Amino acid sequence: MRDALAALPIAPRLLGATLFVLAALMAPHAANLHPAILGFFYLAVGWRVLALRHPRWLPGRWLLLALMAAAIALVIMSTGLYDGRLAGTALLVVMLGLKLLELRARRDIHVTVFLGYFVVLTQFLYSQSLGLAVYLFAGTLVLTAVQVGLNRVHAQPRQVLRHAVGLFVAALPLALVVFMLFPRLHSPLWGIKTQRAFTGISGEMTLGSLGELSRSTATAFRVQFDGMPPPPEQRYWRGPVLWHTDGRRWSADRASARALDTVGRDPLALGYEITLEPTGEYWLFGLDVVTVKPPGTHLNSSYTLVSEQRVNQRLTFRAASDPGFHMLALSERERALGLQLPDRVAPRVAGLVAQWQASTDPAQPLQMVARALDFFRNEPFVYTLTPGTLQGDPVEQFLFETRRGFCEHYAGSFALLMRVAGIPARVVIGYQGGERNPHADHWVVRQSDAHAWTEVWIPGLGWWRVDPTAAVAPDRIEQPIDTAASQAGDRVMFGDGDPGALLALWQNAVWLADAVDLGWHRWVVGFSAERQTSLLQWLGLGRLHGFGLAIALLIGGALAVAVVYLSARLPRPRSGDPLPMLWRRFTDKLRRAGVDVVASQGPDTLCAAAMRMFPQSADQLSAIRRIYVQLRYGRQSDQEMVRALSRRIRRLSLRPAQVDKG
Amino acid sequence: MAFADWARVEQVSAAGQAEIGARRIYILPTRYGLMFGVLLFLMLLGAVNYVNNPGHLLTFLLAGLAANAIYQTWRNLRGLRLVCHGGPPVFSGDPVPFVVELDGAARARPAIQLMFDDSAPALVDIDDGNRPQRVQLQLHGIPRGLHQPGRLVISTCYPMGLLRAWCYVACDRPLLVYPKPGARWTPRGAAGDGGNDAEWGGGSDDFAGLRGYRPGDLPSQIDWKSYARERGLNTRVFSGQAATPLWLDWVDAPGNDVELRVSALTRAVLDAESAGRHYGLKTPGSTIAPGLGPAHRHQCLRHLALYGTSDA
């Protein structure tokens, strides 16, 4: 069938809008693609923009072929074809640029619009942040408006944009239903290689490493508790457990990666949901000892929650913890590891421990713990982010000379002291604390909450948590660190002060953004197979899977479509002829001013009567009469004139005739 | 088109009006629609593979747009009112105008395409004002005679261009196409003086024939019988009134085949009319009495147009 639309010339405005929206949608790729790829694309856009005025400047077929060869070479050289995602995106981008250079017919714009939709998808492969998503969906809307404009004879920008918004709103219910019910895979169809650097705690601890991390206010994870949140002194988020030490450096035990068989279901455990920012590591964080673990994870023998896959993307999982859980087991190997000492222990350190041993009962290890904590509490130790570098034997120097340290200094030296005293000890790193978002029911744990503490093995109690930092700086456990206030070399400041009004407003906005961001992650980005299952259970469709899910998808989709079409059929205020309404407004105004308005009066009679009463306003009245008569009885109806009439009626002021005095 | 043979067709009323009914509309994806389907599939594959939920959402949103477009495109046609006005007679070889009046029924209907099999497509955006919009289609390559314009195809791809909705309307408004005028020639008797001074002076004795009504003719001379037969208003002319009528005779016409003669006589009718000569037309089997004026001209041209056709 012949298509008259295809033969119509394209309005330059439409072409310009296409180029603009594609250029805007491409911009976020600046963070992902090689500058040469993006440069190629924007050069093509610029070329095409110039060709809007000079169509002869468009490249011919041979030049296009040469450009295509150059573009493919550029893709191969810049990406090396190592990463399929990156190479594919780069290829799409350069091909879209080339397509722009041969943009002549309406068909070509259709194709570029389609490619534009695909570009949006590639953006999501690199970042799924809420801000970017809002930007991209807005761009998609404009792209759809361009597509709508392509299918009209005359395309008014406002008109097609409004229509595109209407189409989006109508498409949303179906999109959401399918989004909720479409089956999700646990793992990708084929391998994905990504390389990325993450901030967060690493699998080992050197003196100073956590202090550096504590300057970052970036979010580590967010938590939503099922019930009452635990008190601050119980908010220890357990990460890797470190056994080996050389005095300066602590590292995990490879062999302890083996899984624990049972922790089991625990009805008393506190349930919570964690949305973990990508770490690039295997371990997850839980509220100290996780007793109900999420699927796809295991607990290693040090009670660290370990995922089967690296956390390369934001991950949401549910877990439960029991604050009263005792880690009673101690294997022979663990005892040996827990007592392992560096090659050399400084005599002053050994002497200190010997001095304590003389005054405590060896059968009561807790007495030894108390002595050590007293030592930290009573000697002039300072809790600081900038402890300075330690020379020689770091533990000796810290304990007896500098006495300035961050949590890892206290945890590391305390564990060492315990081991010297013959008490098995280990260091746990993770996070401590968290801040509640006032706008939502969740807590935010930041990188600045990174913490290290120790566990000592006490017969009968098992592995027992001791936080020597709490002895030095009890506020650390109660309050988050105020990173901005903690200047280099100073004591660490804790954020319990009263912020100024402007600062409070800013913080409020930040918390609100955090709440929206978590909502976006919980319901869109992190919508996993597990969450889908729980949503279905909540809907009473918990048994659905496979074929049943497909049926539910069909029924749900049909319902969503029905909702849209039934609502489209609802009676709506008609946007018909605006003239009677305007005229009524005019006569109302006259009536209020005292003019005797009779329904049967024509505009001429009425205006003549009004002019007699208000000669001052005669010009305004006659202009209104003229426009109205033209619109009402004339041949053409003109939006501009209707607006002019509306404006004049609004501005009409009826002043009574001035009476001469004297 | 084979499909159109059994397709449902909207019939126009006696006044040429029709409203497109919901069940007369066909809809199928365009090639852009198929392309969009492939695009959605690839996007879904990408989103699933990279376990990318915003990608899922984007794909489903676009799928929702496409699903909604089915309804939108269909609705763009449903309830559209049209009046087939047809067009005035034209000469064969000229484009034949066919006027259709479209009324959006209080709904904006962008990009409505109208087309006959024999015409170029015409495209129009109908706004939501209540003013009907006239569209003139031009049919090409139509021979002389009385023709039905065929099926009017009304179609639209709005809003997304992914689907085409169309329907067939049988516009029962025959088009009259006069024969194409041939080369100029001089009929027998045309060389003489064409003046007839006694046109109005003659008595009313012998009936000589009919000519087209002109203002001022006596009502008693009007041939009401032919008016009743819908041949237009004609005045009876009596001998002595029309001095020497020019007879355009089939046998005099140059050319030895029917079409050439029809064309030649058409030319002669036009020449005589423009010269103001009374003329009559003789074709095998029928004679049109001499006369003058638009109605007479139409009668002669129509006779020639239909000569030898089944409508004659």
Side-chain angles (χ1 to χ4, degrees):
Chain A
M1 227 176 281
R2 275 169 294 172
D3 187 3
L5 208 55
L8 276 186
I10 306 156
R13 200 163 45 176
L14 193 62
L15 202 56
T18 313
L19 293 172
F20 175 77
V21 65
L22 288 176
L25 281 175
M26 197 62 81
H29 265 324
N32 316 321
L33 296 179
H34 194 271
I37 300 287
L38 225 55
F40 182 91
F41 175 78
Y42 281 112
L43 272 179
V45 173
W47 193 340
R48 193 63 189 79
V49 168
L50 286 178
L52 285 177
R53 278 178 174 271
H54 312 277
R56 284 193 300 149
W57 290 5
L58 281 179
R61 192 198 302 172
W62 291 109
L63 186 50
L64 267 179
L65 276 177
L67 282 172
M68 186 192 257
I72 291 172
L74 199 63
V75 169
I76 294 172
M77 284 195 301
S78 67
T79 68
L81 302 182
Y82 165 72
D83 181 350
R85 178 185 63 162
L86 205 59
T89 310
L91 195 65
L92 176 70
V93 171
V94 295
M95 285 303 151
L96 182 56
L98 286 173
K99 186 71 201 167
L100 291 181
L101 289 179
E102 55 154 20
L103 209 62
R104 290 165 211 271
R106 222 161 258 263
R107 180 191 60 220
D108 301 323
I109 306 192
H110 264 287
V111 173
T112 52
V113 166
F114 289 177
L115 289 177
Y117 289 136
F118 210 99
V119 166
V120 176
L121 180 78
T122 61
Q123 296 281 11
F124 283 132
L125 297 187
Y126 296 88
S127 168
Q128 308 175 16
S129 77
L130 179 60
L132 183 72
V134 168
Y135 177 81
L136 291 175
F137 275 108
T140 311
L141 179 70
V142 179
L143 210 54
T144 306
V146 166
Q147 198 183 347
V148 170
L150 271 179
N151 287 294
R152 295 181 64 110
V153 184
H154 301 289
Q156 299 292 325
R158 279 232 310 250
Q159 203 176 24
V160 293
L161 210 56
R162 206 170 47 217
H163 201 153
V165 170
L167 291 173
F168 259 54
V169 170
L172 214 52
L174 182 62
L176 292 180
V177 166
V178 180
F179 181 80
M180 282 192 294
L181 297 180
F182 190 81
R184 294 303 201 282
L185 296 180
H186 288 278
S187 56
L189 295 176
W190 58 81
I192 300 168
K193 294 180 208 158
T194 48
Q195 288 173 320
R196 198 170 140 187
F198 301 97
T199 53
I201 62 171
S202 63
E204 56 176 43
M205 181 181 85
T206 46
L207 297 184
S209 60
L210 288 182
E212 283 306 306
L213 195 60
S214 294
R215 294 177 183 283
S216 164
T217 56
T219 301
F221 55 89
R222 297 180 174 92
V223 196
Q224 195 153 29
F225 294 105
D226 290 350
M228 284 286 291
E233 67 271 14
Q234 283 187 17
R235 274 181 240 136
Y236 281 84
W237 304 98
R238 188 183 190 87
V241 175
L242 311 180
W243 296 88
H244 298 284
T245 181
D246 62 358
R248 181 179 290 271
R249 192 169 148 269
W250 286 77
S251 57
D253 176 38
R254 291 268 164 80
S256 75
R258 81 189 159 75
L260 285 175
D261 309 331
T262 58
V263 178
R265 292 195 168 272
D266 183 348
L268 294 175
L270 171 65
Y272 49 87
E273 183 179 89
I274 288 186
T275 303
L276 180 64
E277 297 294 318
T279 59
E281 305 282 359
Y282 287 98
W283 61 78
L284 308 175
F285 297 94
L287 185 65
D288 211 353
V289 181
V290 171
T291 51
V292 180
K293 57 188 199 301
T297 64
H298 67 265
L299 280 172
N300 71 13
S301 54
S302 305
Y303 294 90
T304 300
L305 191 59
V306 181
S307 167
E308 281 157 16
Q309 284 165 2
R310 280 187 196 274
V311 184
N312 283 328
Q313 290 175 339
R314 259 193 195 179
L315 177 75
T316 301
F317 60 89
R318 289 195 54 82
S321 296
D322 178 8
F325 184 82
H326 291 275
M327 298 171 271
L328 287 171
L330 180 72
S331 65
E332 275 310 307
R333 179 181 149 72
E334 278 177 338
R335 175 179 292 276
L337 277 172
L339 290 172
Q340 177 254 331
L341 288 170
D343 296 340
R344 199 190 81 91
V345 177
R348 279 165 87 183
V349 175
L352 183 66
V353 173
Q355 186 192 327
W356 292 342
Q357 273 170 330
S359 60
T360 56
D361 180 0
Q364 297 286 328
L366 281 175
Q367 287 185 6
M368 176 61 77
V369 172
R371 287 303 303 268
L373 288 179
D374 281 344
F375 174 73
F376 283 120
R377 202 173 289 129
N378 297 333
E379 299 298 317
F381 279 95
V382 174
Y383 182 65
T384 174
L385 286 179
T386 49
T389 49
L390 298 170
Q391 313 291 336
D393 186 319
V395 175
E396 182 191 17
Q397 209 180 9
F398 169 67
L399 284 178
F400 299 102
E401 283 157 41
T402 65
R403 292 186 170 173
R404 299 166 60 85
F406 194 61
C407 54
E408 68 258 35
H409 296 82
Y410 294 99
S413 49
F414 179 83
L416 191 73
L417 287 171
M418 289 302 110
R419 287 182 176 188
V420 173
I423 302 171
R426 61 191 185 185
V427 171
V428 185
I429 51 177
Y431 297 88
Q432 197 281 321
E435 245 183 308
R436 187 173 173 273
N437 185 328
H439 295 292
D441 193 23
H442 72 256
W443 294 69
V444 174
V445 177
R446 302 178 191 286
Q447 297 297 353
S448 57
D449 295 323
H451 194 52
W453 61 94
T454 56
E455 282 173 346
V456 291
W457 198 82
I458 313 288
L461 287 176
W463 286 104
W464 188 252
R465 183 176 66 223
V466 179
D467 189 354
T469 310
V472 181
D475 283 349
R476 169 66 186 83
I477 310 305
E478 303 287 335
Q479 301 286 341
I481 298 172
D482 186 341
T483 41
S486 306
Q487 291 300 317
D490 289 351
R491 277 173 176 273
V492 169
M493 306 297 288
F494 297 102
D496 56 349
D498 182 26
L502 203 62
L503 192 63
L505 201 65
W506 167 248
Q507 280 175 349
N508 208 24
V510 169
W511 280 120
L512 196 63
D514 177 76
V516 173
D517 190 42
L518 183 66
W520 163 251
H521 183 79
R522 278 167 62 90
W523 292 106
V524 180
V525 177
F527 191 80
S528 58
E530 288 79 32
R531 182 167 285 282
Q532 186 174 43
T533 310
S534 64
L535 182 74
L536 285 174
Q537 267 162 0
W538 183 76
L539 288 172
L541 304 169
R543 299 233 211 104
L544 285 184
H545 46 81
F547 194 64
L549 199 59
I551 299 281
L553 192 62
L554 280 179
I555 294 174
L559 281 177
V561 169
V563 163
V564 169
Y565 300 138
L566 289 179
S567 65
R569 279 167 164 267
L570 286 181
R572 209 175 313 186
R574 295 183 61 98
S575 61
D577 194 356
L579 267 186
M581 200 192 67
L582 284 176
W583 187 250
R584 196 163 346 106
R585 201 186 297 164
F586 176 60
T587 52
D588 284 353
K589 205 162 184 173
L590 290 183
R591 194 178 289 121
R592 276 198 301 276
V595 181
D596 195 13
V597 179
V598 183
S600 60
Q601 271 175 325
D604 283 353
T605 341
L606 183 65
C607 285
M611 268 143 91
R612 272 196 303 280
M613 269 186 82
F614 304 104
Q616 301 274 319
S617 317
D619 287 352
Q620 296 178 33
L621 285 165
S622 79
I624 289 171
R625 183 191 60 85
R626 200 187 62 239
I627 301 176
Y628 176 73
V629 168
Q630 231 164 335
L631 281 170
R632 184 75 177 77
Y633 305 106
R635 286 197 65 82
Q636 88 275 15
S637 94
D638 186 349
Q639 286 302 309
E640 203 55 50
M641 277 172 72
V642 172
R643 272 198 288 278
L645 181 66
S646 162
R647 199 165 50 237
R648 279 178 181 275
I649 291 175
R650 202 172 53 242
R651 289 188 188 157
L652 172 68
S653 67
L654 295 165
R655 280 164 299 175
Q658 284 176 353
V659 181
D660 287 332
K661 288 175 187 163
Chain B
M1 191 188 292
F3 170 70
D5 293 340
W6 54 266
R8 297 180 181 195
V9 176
E10 193 70 65
Q11 303 290 340
V12 298
S13 71
Q17 290 170 337
E19 181 175 325
I20 295 173
R23 294 173 153 269
R24 301 263 188 268
I25 300 172
Y26 295 93
I27 187 162
L28 276 179
T30 59
R31 60 194 171 126
Y32 298 129
L34 299 176
M35 215 189 279
F36 197 71
V38 173
L39 174 85
L40 286 184
F41 179 73
L42 291 177
M43 286 177 73
L44 184 64
L45 212 59
V48 166
N49 184 51
Y50 288 98
V51 200
N52 192 302
N53 274 317
H56 276 95
L57 190 60
L58 176 73
T59 309
F60 298 146
L61 188 67
L62 292 179
L65 282 178
N68 184 36
I70 302 174
Y71 173 68
Q72 297 277 343
T73 310
W74 174 79
R75 194 178 65 159
N76 206 28
L77 278 192
R78 189 204 57 190
L80 177 71
R81 297 189 191 127
L82 70 155
V83 185
C84 290
H85 284 295
V90 290
F91 293 96
S92 176
D94 293 345
V96 184
F98 192 97
V99 174
V100 179
E101 199 174 273
L102 294 172
D103 178 357
R107 165 190 295 285
R109 296 165 188 276
I112 301 283
Q113 179 177 309
L114 303 173
M115 193 173 79
F116 286 111
D117 284 347
D118 297 321
S119 83
L123 192 67
V124 63
D125 283 348
I126 300 172
D127 58 24
D128 55 359
N130 292 318
R131 204 181 305 267
Q133 204 142 350
R134 292 173 87 90
V135 183
Q136 181 171 316
L137 288 154
Q138 303 217 312
L139 290 91
H140 293 276
I142 302 200
R144 69 178 173 89
L146 198 59
H147 298 280
Q148 290 295 345
R151 280 168 182 178
L152 178 64
V153 182
I154 307 183
S155 62
T156 186
C157 297
Y158 193 78
M160 302 281 287
L162 305 177
L163 299 129
R164 170 179 226 102
W166 77 95
C167 71
Y168 300 101
V169 179
C171 280
D172 195 12
R173 278 285 175 279
L175 293 164
L176 181 62
V177 180
Y178 296 150
K180 188 182 175 71
R184 183 154 289 168
W185 60 290
T186 313
R188 192 152 51 93
D193 67 318
N196 32 51
D197 308 319
E199 194 179 343
W200 292 106
S204 52
D205 37 7
D206 290 340
F207 175 70
L210 294 172
R211 67 161 166 78
Y213 170 81
R214 279 183 241 164
D217 286 350
L218 293 171
S220 61
Q221 290 188 333
I222 290 172
D223 185 25
W224 295 108
K225 279 185 188 164
S226 71
Y227 183 69
R229 283 184 220 114
E230 296 186 351
R231 298 228 180 96
L233 213 48
N234 292 301
T235 305
R236 281 181 291 178
V237 185
F238 297 92
S239 64
Q241 197 177 31
T244 45
L246 177 64
W247 282 102
L248 307 175
D249 199 330
W250 181 264
V251 293
D252 295 341
N256 44 12
D257 97 38
V258 175
E259 291 309 315
L260 283 175
R261 286 182 188 219
V262 166
S263 286
L265 287 172
T266 303
R267 165 62 64 191
V269 166
L270 297 179
D271 286 350
E273 183 73 30
S274 60
R277 267 303 277 279
H278 278 212
Y279 58 94
L281 182 65
K282 281 184 189 164
T283 54
S286 65
T287 300
I288 296 174
L292 188 65
H296 182 64
R297 171 182 180 270
H298 174 71
Q299 191 190 359
C300 294
L301 291 178
R302 178 185 163 88
H303 181 75
L304 289 170
L306 301 184
Y307 180 79
T309 67
S310 55
D311 297 314

